[in-house]
DNA sequence: CTGGGGAGGGGGCCC
DNA sequence: CGGGCCCCCTCCCCA
């Protein structure tokens, strides 16, 4: 057949035996042909799998045997690609793989997706499917799962806005590859990632029944997120944009802060939305609420799941702990606990000077020493090295920094708010106790306990009388 | 508009 | 297991 036109990615071909002057002409869009062909091919392969025809790969998941085609698994999963390409020369008749890190039900969902492009996600299986997909290195599935979770969060937020009670749980079915997506977006191919949410289909009735049958303790985090519009996890969507996935090149995650998969660096709030007594009250309430919600969220956490992350050089499995909110895994439980704070928004360490709160003590310490103690022996203006003697401490609100003698002379003493009440060697009064008595371990004094919010008392003890935290972020 | 630096946040890992 | 250190990254401000 001859090619008669080129319409971008898709080309039009004339049917065999038809000349250009024959009418009517029948035009074939190659994109449609491709989509249709892929669809049929996948259906055929799936049918062969169901009939166990030409299956040359056995996958054992917790004792349950799955039969599949080696080439299909190879094409769909980075894990299987590695596994199947590591074999000896001359591949054996059959290839076996064994998994104990996810359930047969989860692998069924994965396998069905591979062979049909349909990902049967629900609030109950999304975390495990995402975990399995992460293990099997199937980025498209991970992306679908993340979109599912993100959409669930959006739904919750919308529900909150409209003050509506919504269905408690939903089941979503993602379509990809040779399914509906192919016909609508044939150019995307069967394994295109980041499908638009519009391609989702929802089945609320089914979700209801599946939810009702679940024991409360079986409800995963996602359920908690979806069913409780006020769930702290919703703050996740607000504070972070997305879920982080270091492996996902498309990820713009929670907080999806686009980092290499790291959780949530937040943008600072613009100055225009800060300050005001009302807002202070709101902030206090918000903090209390956030702390309560963090506790609530912790209470709804499923048991921390240990997963086999990889194999060490002795081929022994290395146990890791998986975050229930994202695909991140860590070696130690304590590290996971620390990591969870980026999801819960918990900030247990407030700065007594500016009231800013931090997720870690070390961050608070670093902040305090840098901002309020002028520990850096560097001239703020010319960046030269100074000593405790030559670097004069300058106060600017609750901020303190050092200026060298030369810069002071250049600028003029009157223009610099010098900290005349103490020498640079002295600890700021902030380090005194609330009652003014100096304690032995001054470093610990600004390590605030959970109860205090020291905006009021800190001001009284500060040498700097006027506390200007207008440039401080309100957390 | 752009690059540099400061500040904050998160992960890995040691003690 | 918590504390702490180091490293890296991102965001924001400013020259």
């Amino acid at each position: 057949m001859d090619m008669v036109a080129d319409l971008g990615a898709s080309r039009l071909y004339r049917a065999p035996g038809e000349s250009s002057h024959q009418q009517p002409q029948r035009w074939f869009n190659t994109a449609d042909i491709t989509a249709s062909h892929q669809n049929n091919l996948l259906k055929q392969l799936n049918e062969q799998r169901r009939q166990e025809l030409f299956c040359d790969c056995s996958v054992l998941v917790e004792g349950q045997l799955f039969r599949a085609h080696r080439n299909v698994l190879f094409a769909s999963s980075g894990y299987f690609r590695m596994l199947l390409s590591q074999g000896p020369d001359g591949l054996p008749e059959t290839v076996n793989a064994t998994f104990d890190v996810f359930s047969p039900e989860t692998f069924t969902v994965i396998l069905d997706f591979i062979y049909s492009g349909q990902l049967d996600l629900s609030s109950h299986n999304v975390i495990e499917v995402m975990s399995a997909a992460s293990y099997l290195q199937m980025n498209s599935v991970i992306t679908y799962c993340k979109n599912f979770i993100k959409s669930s969060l959006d739904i919750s937020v919308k529900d909150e806005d409209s003050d509506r009670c919504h269905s408690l749980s939903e089941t979503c079915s993602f379509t990809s590859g040779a399914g509906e997506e192919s016909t609508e977006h044939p150019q995307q191919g069967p394994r295109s990632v980041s499908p638009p949410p519009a391609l989702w289909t929802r089945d609320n009735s089914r979700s209801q029944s599946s939810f009702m049958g679940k024991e409360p303790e079986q409800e995963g985090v996602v359920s908690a997120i979806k069913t409780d519009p006020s769930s702290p996890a919703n703050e996740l969507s607000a504070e972070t944009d997305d879920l982080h996935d270091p492996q996902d090149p498309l990820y713009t995650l929670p907080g999806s802060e686009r980092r290499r998969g790291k959780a949530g660096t937040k943008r600072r709030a613009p100055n225009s939305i800060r300050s005001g007594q009302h807002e202070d009250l709101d902030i206090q309430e918000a903090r209390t609420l956030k702390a309560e919600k963090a506790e609530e969220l912790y209470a709804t956490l499923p048991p921390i799941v240990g997963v086999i992350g990889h194999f060490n050089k002795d081929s022994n499995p290395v146990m890791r702990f998986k975050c229930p909110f994202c695909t991140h895994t860590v070696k130690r439980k304590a590290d996971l606990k620390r990591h969870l704070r980026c999801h819960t928004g918990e900030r247990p360490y407030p700065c007594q000077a500016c009231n800013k709160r931090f997720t870690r003590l070390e961050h608070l310490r670093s902040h305090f020493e840098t901002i309020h103690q002028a520990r850096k022996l560097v001239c703020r203006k010319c960046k030269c090295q100074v000593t405790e003697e030559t670097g004069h401490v300058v106060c600017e609100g609750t901020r303190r920094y050092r200026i060298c003698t030369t810069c002071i002379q250049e600028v003029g003493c009157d223009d610099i708010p010098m900290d005349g009440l103490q020498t640079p060697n002295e600890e700021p009064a902030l380090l005194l106790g609330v009652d003014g008595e100096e304690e032995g371990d001054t470093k610990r004094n600004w390590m605030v306990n959970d109860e205090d919010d020291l905006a009021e008392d800190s001001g009284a003890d500060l040498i700097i009388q006027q506390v200007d935290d207008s440039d401080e972020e309100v957390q």
Side-chain angles (χ1 to χ4, degrees):
Chain A
M1 74 179 89
D2 350 318
M3 186 177 75
V4 295
D6 189 342
L7 300 177
S10 60
R11 295 159 187 256
L12 295 180
Y13 292 88
R14 192 170 291 127
E18 290 179 347
S19 62
S20 57
H21 56 269
Q22 283 178 314
Q23 296 296 333
Q25 289 183 347
R26 287 186 295 143
W27 300 98
F28 294 86
N29 187 320
T30 56
D32 289 341
I33 295 172
T34 303
S36 172
H37 175 66
Q38 289 173 348
N39 201 3
N40 289 334
L41 188 59
L42 208 53
K43 277 180 183 170
Q44 275 296 318
L45 287 170
N46 199 20
E47 196 56 36
Q48 289 176 17
R49 172 176 72 106
R50 293 183 188 286
Q51 297 178 11
E52 296 199 2
L53 280 175
F54 310 119
C55 291
D56 52 2
C57 187
S58 298
V59 181
L60 197 63
V61 182
E62 288 184 353
Q64 185 169 332
L65 186 67
F66 293 86
R67 300 280 291 160
H69 301 97
R70 185 174 5 192
N71 51 356
V72 175
L73 297 181
F74 186 98
S76 306
S77 156
Y79 178 91
F80 282 111
R81 205 167 298 134
M82 290 288 293
L83 183 74
L84 296 170
S85 55
Q86 281 174 353
D89 294 341
L91 287 169
E93 284 300 307
T94 59
V95 174
N96 298 315
T98 305
F99 297 104
D100 289 316
V101 291
F102 42 78
S103 68
E105 292 75 23
T106 301
F107 190 68
T108 300
V109 172
I110 297 277
L111 205 55
D112 284 344
F113 170 77
I114 290 175
Y115 275 92
S116 70
Q118 306 274 340
L119 189 61
D120 190 14
L121 286 183
S122 73
S123 59
H124 307 304
N125 70 4
V126 62
I127 292 295
E128 200 180 353
V129 169
M130 189 159 75
S131 176
S134 174
Y135 189 89
L136 296 173
Q137 297 169 44
M138 299 173 67
N139 287 338
S140 56
V141 176
I142 295 172
T143 305
Y144 293 140
C145 291
K146 287 190 301 193
N147 285 342
F148 179 92
I149 295 170
K150 191 178 177 183
S151 170
S152 302
L153 294 172
D154 291 342
I155 290 166
S156 296
V157 171
K158 285 172 188 169
D159 287 351
E160 190 176 28
D161 290 345
S162 60
D163 212 13
R164 272 188 302 136
C165 287
H166 207 50
S167 68
L168 294 177
S169 172
E170 292 174 355
T171 298
C172 290
S173 177
F174 292 89
T175 303
S176 163
E180 299 154 23
E181 186 182 1
S182 306
T183 44
E184 290 181 20
H185 307 280
Q187 72 281 9
Q188 287 187 343
R191 290 182 53 74
S192 66
V193 294
S194 191
L199 293 176
W200 298 15
T201 56
R202 296 181 182 281
D203 180 4
N204 288 340
S205 58
R206 186 175 153 193
S207 62
Q208 285 281 6
S209 58
S210 63
F211 175 80
M212 300 298 269
K214 276 265 185 184
E215 293 296 322
E217 62 269 22
Q218 289 177 300
E219 286 299 307
V221 174
V222 175
S223 296
I225 291 168
K226 296 176 69 175
T227 54
D228 180 8
S230 63
S231 167
N234 288 330
E235 294 175 13
L236 170 63
S237 64
E239 294 185 2
T240 66
D241 321 316
D242 232 324
L243 297 170
H244 349 287
D245 180 6
Q247 301 169 338
D248 184 1
L250 294 175
Y251 123 72
T252 55
L253 277 204
S256 206
E257 322 99 304
R258 179 168 282 279
R259 302 181 63 169
R260 25 146 216 157
K262 289 198 176 184
T265 307
K266 287 182 292 189
R267 292 173 182 272
R268 291 176 195 170
N271 289 337
S272 57
I273 65 166
R274 297 187 193 130
S275 80
Q277 276 193 335
H278 272 300
E279 189 161 335
D280 288 345
L281 286 175
D282 290 344
I283 292 163
Q284 296 295 332
E285 287 177 13
R287 281 178 186 158
T288 310
L289 201 60
K290 181 174 278 189
E292 288 172 358
K293 286 180 176 179
E295 285 182 23
E296 191 181 323
L297 186 59
Y298 280 131
T300 63
L301 271 182
I304 298 303
V305 183
V307 299
I308 298 173
H310 59 277
F311 294 88
N312 62 19
K313 57 184 178 183
D314 301 325
S315 297
N316 294 321
V318 176
M319 186 64 74
R320 295 179 71 86
F321 297 94
K322 187 185 171 306
C323 172
F325 299 118
C326 68
T327 57
H328 182 60
T329 62
V330 294
K331 280 184 179 177
R332 300 192 321 147
K333 229 176 175 178
D335 286 338
L336 179 57
K337 186 177 177 182
R338 186 180 69 176
H339 165 79
L340 283 174
R341 285 194 195 129
C342 75
H343 293 303
T344 63
E346 188 186 17
R347 290 172 178 270
Y349 304 104
C351 173
Q352 289 199 20
C354 64
N355 235 12
K356 185 171 182 163
R357 304 179 81 93
F358 298 86
T359 58
R360 295 195 211 168
L361 183 60
E362 66 208 79
H363 289 164
L364 168 60
R365 177 178 298 127
S366 171
H367 158 83
F368 189 85
E369 290 182 352
T370 304
I371 303 298
H372 305 300
Q373 279 194 308
R375 292 267 172 161
K376 279 187 180 175
L377 296 177
V378 173
C379 173
R380 171 100 169 192
K381 194 166 185 293
C382 66
K383 312 295 180 191
C384 70
Q385 295 287 328
V386 298
T387 64
E388 296 281 358
E389 289 74 28
T390 62
H392 299 274
V393 175
V394 172
C395 295
E396 194 178 295
T398 59
R399 288 176 178 255
R400 303 158 72 89
Y401 51 87
R402 292 175 193 272
I403 295 284
C404 68
T405 311
T406 311
C407 288
I408 289 175
Q409 288 170 350
E410 283 179 6
V411 178
C413 282
D414 294 344
D415 297 333
I416 299 179
M418 299 291 295
D419 182 0
L421 298 180
Q422 70 176 95
T423 70
N425 287 327
E426 286 177 330
E427 296 286 349
L430 177 65
L431 297 185
L432 298 177
V434 174
D435 58 358
E437 286 183 7
E438 189 170 4
E439 295 177 16
D441 187 3
T442 53
K443 256 197 158 186
R444 291 273 156 184
N445 284 335
W446 47 268
M447 289 159 53
V448 187
N449 60 42
D450 286 336
E451 267 88 52
D452 43 19
D453 262 315
L454 301 156
E456 320 84 42
D457 45 48
S458 66
D461 287 324
L462 276 172
I463 288 174
I464 304 96
Q465 297 295 327
Q466 189 176 6
V467 177
D468 176 20
D469 60 351
S470 60
D471 57 343
E472 298 293 340
E473 178 186 11
V474 175
Q475 300 289 331

PDB file of all heavy atoms in Angstrom, chain A residues 176-201:
ATOM      1  N   SER A 176      -4.839   1.020  30.935  1.00  0.00           N
ATOM      2  CA  SER A 176      -3.626   1.379  30.237  1.00  0.00           C
ATOM      3  C   SER A 176      -3.424   0.427  29.083  1.00  0.00           C
ATOM      4  O   SER A 176      -4.034  -0.610  28.985  1.00  0.00           O
ATOM      5  CB  SER A 176      -2.448   1.307  31.203  1.00  0.00           C
ATOM      6  OG  SER A 176      -1.258   1.269  30.498  1.00  0.00           O
ATOM      7  N   GLY A 177      -2.477   0.797  28.240  1.00  0.00           N
ATOM      8  CA  GLY A 177      -2.056  -0.110  27.190  1.00  0.00           C
ATOM      9  C   GLY A 177      -3.140  -0.365  26.181  1.00  0.00           C
ATOM     10  O   GLY A 177      -3.747   0.546  25.645  1.00  0.00           O
ATOM     11  N   ALA A 178      -3.414  -1.624  25.944  1.00  0.00           N
ATOM     12  CA  ALA A 178      -4.297  -1.974  24.845  1.00  0.00           C
ATOM     13  C   ALA A 178      -5.757  -1.770  25.188  1.00  0.00           C
ATOM     14  O   ALA A 178      -6.631  -2.081  24.413  1.00  0.00           O
ATOM     15  CB  ALA A 178      -4.077  -3.424  24.462  1.00  0.00           C
ATOM     16  N   GLY A 179      -6.025  -1.276  26.356  1.00  0.00           N
ATOM     17  CA  GLY A 179      -7.402  -1.060  26.745  1.00  0.00           C
ATOM     18  C   GLY A 179      -7.947   0.225  26.163  1.00  0.00           C
ATOM     19  O   GLY A 179      -7.609   0.634  25.070  1.00  0.00           O
ATOM     20  N   GLU A 180      -8.826   0.869  26.929  1.00  0.00           N
ATOM     21  CA  GLU A 180      -9.483   2.055  26.421  1.00  0.00           C
ATOM     22  C   GLU A 180      -8.488   3.130  26.055  1.00  0.00           C
ATOM     23  O   GLU A 180      -8.681   3.876  25.117  1.00  0.00           O
ATOM     24  CB  GLU A 180     -10.436   2.604  27.479  1.00  0.00           C
ATOM     25  CG  GLU A 180     -11.517   1.607  27.844  1.00  0.00           C
ATOM     26  CD  GLU A 180     -12.022   1.874  29.237  1.00  0.00           C
ATOM     27  OE1 GLU A 180     -11.877   3.001  29.702  1.00  0.00           O
ATOM     28  OE2 GLU A 180     -12.558   0.949  29.849  1.00  0.00           O
ATOM     29  N   GLU A 181      -7.426   3.162  26.823  1.00  0.00           N
ATOM     30  CA  GLU A 181      -6.477   4.244  26.603  1.00  0.00           C
ATOM     31  C   GLU A 181      -5.899   4.187  25.198  1.00  0.00           C
ATOM     32  O   GLU A 181      -5.665   5.200  24.562  1.00  0.00           O
ATOM     33  CB  GLU A 181      -5.344   4.161  27.625  1.00  0.00           C
ATOM     34  CG  GLU A 181      -4.407   5.339  27.554  1.00  0.00           C
ATOM     35  CD  GLU A 181      -3.297   5.187  28.527  1.00  0.00           C
ATOM     36  OE1 GLU A 181      -3.238   4.172  29.229  1.00  0.00           O
ATOM     37  OE2 GLU A 181      -2.468   6.110  28.579  1.00  0.00           O
ATOM     38  N   SER A 182      -5.719   2.992  24.721  1.00  0.00           N
ATOM     39  CA  SER A 182      -5.099   2.847  23.423  1.00  0.00           C
ATOM     40  C   SER A 182      -5.956   3.445  22.331  1.00  0.00           C
ATOM     41  O   SER A 182      -5.462   4.039  21.390  1.00  0.00           O
ATOM     42  CB  SER A 182      -4.871   1.369  23.121  1.00  0.00           C
ATOM     43  OG  SER A 182      -4.152   0.794  24.151  1.00  0.00           O
ATOM     44  N   THR A 183      -7.239   3.271  22.480  1.00  0.00           N
ATOM     45  CA  THR A 183      -8.097   3.792  21.444  1.00  0.00           C
ATOM     46  C   THR A 183      -8.210   5.300  21.549  1.00  0.00           C
ATOM     47  O   THR A 183      -8.330   5.988  20.551  1.00  0.00           O
ATOM     48  CB  THR A 183      -9.494   3.171  21.568  1.00  0.00           C
ATOM     49  OG1 THR A 183      -9.876   3.184  22.931  1.00  0.00           O
ATOM     50  CG2 THR A 183      -9.505   1.762  21.055  1.00  0.00           C
ATOM     51  N   GLU A 184      -8.134   5.798  22.774  1.00  0.00           N
ATOM     52  CA  GLU A 184      -8.274   7.235  22.914  1.00  0.00           C
ATOM     53  C   GLU A 184      -6.965   7.954  22.633  1.00  0.00           C
ATOM     54  O   GLU A 184      -6.932   9.017  22.076  1.00  0.00           O
ATOM     55  CB  GLU A 184      -8.749   7.585  24.314  1.00  0.00           C
ATOM     56  CG  GLU A 184     -10.183   7.182  24.555  1.00  0.00           C
ATOM     57  CD  GLU A 184     -10.611   7.578  25.936  1.00  0.00           C
ATOM     58  OE1 GLU A 184      -9.977   8.444  26.523  1.00  0.00           O
ATOM     59  OE2 GLU A 184     -11.596   7.016  26.422  1.00  0.00           O
ATOM     60  N   HIS A 185      -5.902   7.332  23.096  1.00  0.00           N
ATOM     61  CA  HIS A 185      -4.591   7.946  22.915  1.00  0.00           C
ATOM     62  C   HIS A 185      -3.640   6.924  22.337  1.00  0.00           C
ATOM     63  O   HIS A 185      -2.736   6.456  22.989  1.00  0.00           O
ATOM     64  CB  HIS A 185      -4.029   8.461  24.238  1.00  0.00           C
ATOM     65  CG  HIS A 185      -4.970   9.347  24.942  1.00  0.00           C
ATOM     66  ND1 HIS A 185      -5.131  10.667  24.622  1.00  0.00           N
ATOM     67  CD2 HIS A 185      -5.856   9.099  25.941  1.00  0.00           C
ATOM     68  CE1 HIS A 185      -6.044  11.216  25.412  1.00  0.00           C
ATOM     69  NE2 HIS A 185      -6.497  10.278  26.226  1.00  0.00           N
ATOM     70  N   PRO A 186      -3.865   6.604  21.114  1.00  0.00           N
ATOM     71  CA  PRO A 186      -3.091   5.522  20.534  1.00  0.00           C
ATOM     72  C   PRO A 186      -1.606   5.829  20.488  1.00  0.00           C
ATOM     73  O   PRO A 186      -0.815   4.924  20.493  1.00  0.00           O
ATOM     74  CB  PRO A 186      -3.674   5.396  19.129  1.00  0.00           C
ATOM     75  CG  PRO A 186      -4.485   6.596  18.895  1.00  0.00           C
ATOM     76  CD  PRO A 186      -4.801   7.212  20.193  1.00  0.00           C
ATOM     77  N   GLN A 187      -1.279   7.073  20.463  1.00  0.00           N
ATOM     78  CA  GLN A 187       0.135   7.386  20.343  1.00  0.00           C
ATOM     79  C   GLN A 187       0.902   7.107  21.613  1.00  0.00           C
ATOM     80  O   GLN A 187       2.108   7.084  21.632  1.00  0.00           O
ATOM     81  CB  GLN A 187       0.315   8.860  19.956  1.00  0.00           C
ATOM     82  CG  GLN A 187       0.002   9.852  21.051  1.00  0.00           C
ATOM     83  CD  GLN A 187      -1.486  10.081  21.231  1.00  0.00           C
ATOM     84  OE1 GLN A 187      -2.320   9.380  20.639  1.00  0.00           O
ATOM     85  NE2 GLN A 187      -1.861  11.032  22.033  1.00  0.00           N
ATOM     86  N   GLN A 188       0.164   6.879  22.704  1.00  0.00           N
ATOM     87  CA  GLN A 188       0.866   6.715  23.969  1.00  0.00           C
ATOM     88  C   GLN A 188       1.407   5.317  24.155  1.00  0.00           C
ATOM     89  O   GLN A 188       2.298   5.120  24.955  1.00  0.00           O
ATOM     90  CB  GLN A 188      -0.065   7.028  25.141  1.00  0.00           C
ATOM     91  CG  GLN A 188      -0.319   8.528  25.242  1.00  0.00           C
ATOM     92  CD  GLN A 188      -1.096   8.847  26.475  1.00  0.00           C
ATOM     93  OE1 GLN A 188      -1.705   7.949  27.076  1.00  0.00           O
ATOM     94  NE2 GLN A 188      -1.090  10.074  26.885  1.00  0.00           N
ATOM     95  N   GLY A 189       0.897   4.371  23.461  1.00  0.00           N
ATOM     96  CA  GLY A 189       1.440   3.034  23.590  1.00  0.00           C
ATOM     97  C   GLY A 189       0.977   2.375  24.843  1.00  0.00           C
ATOM     98  O   GLY A 189       0.397   2.996  25.727  1.00  0.00           O
ATOM     99  N   PRO A 190       1.251   1.095  24.922  1.00  0.00           N
ATOM    100  CA  PRO A 190       0.673   0.304  25.980  1.00  0.00           C
ATOM    101  C   PRO A 190       1.250   0.616  27.352  1.00  0.00           C
ATOM    102  O   PRO A 190       0.598   0.392  28.337  1.00  0.00           O
ATOM    103  CB  PRO A 190       0.991  -1.129  25.584  1.00  0.00           C
ATOM    104  CG  PRO A 190       1.861  -1.069  24.391  1.00  0.00           C
ATOM    105  CD  PRO A 190       2.009   0.344  23.978  1.00  0.00           C
ATOM    106  N   ARG A 191       2.434   1.106  27.448  1.00  0.00           N
ATOM    107  CA  ARG A 191       3.029   1.256  28.759  1.00  0.00           C
ATOM    108  C   ARG A 191       3.332   2.710  29.065  1.00  0.00           C
ATOM    109  O   ARG A 191       4.253   3.035  29.785  1.00  0.00           O
ATOM    110  CB  ARG A 191       4.291   0.420  28.868  1.00  0.00           C
ATOM    111  CG  ARG A 191       4.002  -1.053  28.893  1.00  0.00           C
ATOM    112  CD  ARG A 191       5.269  -1.841  29.060  1.00  0.00           C
ATOM    113  NE  ARG A 191       6.047  -1.414  30.209  1.00  0.00           N
ATOM    114  CZ  ARG A 191       5.741  -1.669  31.446  1.00  0.00           C
ATOM    115  NH1 ARG A 191       4.657  -2.351  31.736  1.00  0.00           N
ATOM    116  NH2 ARG A 191       6.499  -1.249  32.410  1.00  0.00           N
ATOM    117  N   SER A 192       2.525   3.571  28.519  1.00  0.00           N
ATOM    118  CA  SER A 192       2.749   4.972  28.801  1.00  0.00           C
ATOM    119  C   SER A 192       2.514   5.239  30.269  1.00  0.00           C
ATOM    120  O   SER A 192       1.655   4.644  30.896  1.00  0.00           O
ATOM    121  CB  SER A 192       1.807   5.826  27.971  1.00  0.00           C
ATOM    122  OG  SER A 192       0.493   5.597  28.373  1.00  0.00           O
ATOM    123  N   VAL A 193       3.290   6.122  30.818  1.00  0.00           N
ATOM    124  CA  VAL A 193       3.175   6.421  32.232  1.00  0.00           C
ATOM    125  C   VAL A 193       2.361   7.679  32.423  1.00  0.00           C
ATOM    126  O   VAL A 193       2.067   8.391  31.470  1.00  0.00           O
ATOM    127  CB  VAL A 193       4.561   6.608  32.883  1.00  0.00           C
ATOM    128  CG1 VAL A 193       5.294   5.293  32.860  1.00  0.00           C
ATOM    129  CG2 VAL A 193       5.326   7.687  32.164  1.00  0.00           C
ATOM    130  N   SER A 194       2.039   7.930  33.715  1.00  0.00           N
ATOM    131  CA  SER A 194       1.309   9.128  34.106  1.00  0.00           C
ATOM    132  C   SER A 194       0.022   9.331  33.339  1.00  0.00           C
ATOM    133  O   SER A 194      -0.175  10.314  32.652  1.00  0.00           O
ATOM    134  CB  SER A 194       2.202  10.352  33.887  1.00  0.00           C
ATOM    135  OG  SER A 194       1.621  11.457  34.490  1.00  0.00           O
ATOM    136  N   PRO A 195      -0.886   8.404  33.457  1.00  0.00           N
ATOM    137  CA  PRO A 195      -2.148   8.566  32.764  1.00  0.00           C
ATOM    138  C   PRO A 195      -2.965   9.652  33.418  1.00  0.00           C
ATOM    139  O   PRO A 195      -2.915   9.823  34.624  1.00  0.00           O
ATOM    140  CB  PRO A 195      -2.821   7.204  32.956  1.00  0.00           C
ATOM    141  CG  PRO A 195      -2.268   6.717  34.236  1.00  0.00           C
ATOM    142  CD  PRO A 195      -0.879   7.268  34.357  1.00  0.00           C
ATOM    143  N   PRO A 196      -3.737  10.368  32.637  1.00  0.00           N
ATOM    144  CA  PRO A 196      -4.580  11.388  33.244  1.00  0.00           C
ATOM    145  C   PRO A 196      -5.666  10.744  34.077  1.00  0.00           C
ATOM    146  O   PRO A 196      -6.180   9.686  33.719  1.00  0.00           O
ATOM    147  CB  PRO A 196      -5.170  12.116  32.030  1.00  0.00           C
ATOM    148  CG  PRO A 196      -5.075  11.135  30.916  1.00  0.00           C
ATOM    149  CD  PRO A 196      -3.882  10.295  31.194  1.00  0.00           C
ATOM    150  N   PRO A 197      -6.019  11.369  35.209  1.00  0.00           N
ATOM    151  CA  PRO A 197      -7.053  10.801  36.072  1.00  0.00           C
ATOM    152  C   PRO A 197      -8.362  10.589  35.345  1.00  0.00           C
ATOM    153  O   PRO A 197      -9.192   9.804  35.759  1.00  0.00           O
ATOM    154  CB  PRO A 197      -7.200  11.855  37.176  1.00  0.00           C
ATOM    155  CG  PRO A 197      -5.926  12.621  37.157  1.00  0.00           C
ATOM    156  CD  PRO A 197      -5.448  12.582  35.733  1.00  0.00           C
ATOM    157  N   ALA A 198      -8.566  11.300  34.254  1.00  0.00           N
ATOM    158  CA  ALA A 198      -9.822  11.177  33.533  1.00  0.00           C
ATOM    159  C   ALA A 198     -10.014   9.769  32.997  1.00  0.00           C
ATOM    160  O   ALA A 198     -11.119   9.377  32.668  1.00  0.00           O
ATOM    161  CB  ALA A 198      -9.844  12.167  32.369  1.00  0.00           C
ATOM    162  N   LEU A 199      -8.931   9.025  32.911  1.00  0.00           N
ATOM    163  CA  LEU A 199      -9.056   7.681  32.382  1.00  0.00           C
ATOM    164  C   LEU A 199      -9.542   6.695  33.426  1.00  0.00           C
ATOM    165  O   LEU A 199      -9.814   5.557  33.124  1.00  0.00           O
ATOM    166  CB  LEU A 199      -7.705   7.206  31.838  1.00  0.00           C
ATOM    167  CG  LEU A 199      -7.229   7.969  30.613  1.00  0.00           C
ATOM    168  CD1 LEU A 199      -5.862   7.491  30.206  1.00  0.00           C
ATOM    169  CD2 LEU A 199      -8.225   7.779  29.490  1.00  0.00           C
ATOM    170  N   TRP A 200      -9.626   7.161  34.640  1.00  0.00           N
ATOM    171  CA  TRP A 200     -10.058   6.246  35.695  1.00  0.00           C
ATOM    172  C   TRP A 200     -11.537   5.959  35.548  1.00  0.00           C
ATOM    173  O   TRP A 200     -12.322   6.782  35.134  1.00  0.00           O
ATOM    174  CB  TRP A 200      -9.858   6.853  37.071  1.00  0.00           C
ATOM    175  CG  TRP A 200      -8.461   7.150  37.385  1.00  0.00           C
ATOM    176  CD1 TRP A 200      -7.393   7.222  36.530  1.00  0.00           C
ATOM    177  CD2 TRP A 200      -7.952   7.455  38.678  1.00  0.00           C
ATOM    178  NE1 TRP A 200      -6.286   7.545  37.202  1.00  0.00           N
ATOM    179  CE2 TRP A 200      -6.576   7.696  38.511  1.00  0.00           C
ATOM    180  CE3 TRP A 200      -8.522   7.541  39.945  1.00  0.00           C
ATOM    181  CZ2 TRP A 200      -5.773   8.013  39.589  1.00  0.00           C
ATOM    182  CZ3 TRP A 200      -7.720   7.850  41.001  1.00  0.00           C
ATOM    183  CH2 TRP A 200      -6.353   8.079  40.811  1.00  0.00           C
ATOM    184  N   THR A 201     -11.889   4.766  35.962  1.00  0.00           N
ATOM    185  CA  THR A 201     -13.304   4.476  36.129  1.00  0.00           C
ATOM    186  C   THR A 201     -13.516   4.063  37.566  1.00  0.00           C
ATOM    187  O   THR A 201     -12.673   3.418  38.165  1.00  0.00           O
ATOM    188  CB  THR A 201     -13.740   3.338  35.203  1.00  0.00           C
ATOM    189  OG1 THR A 201     -12.910   2.211  35.482  1.00  0.00           O
ATOM    190  CG2 THR A 201     -13.573   3.743  33.757  1.00  0.00           C
TER     191      THR A 201
END
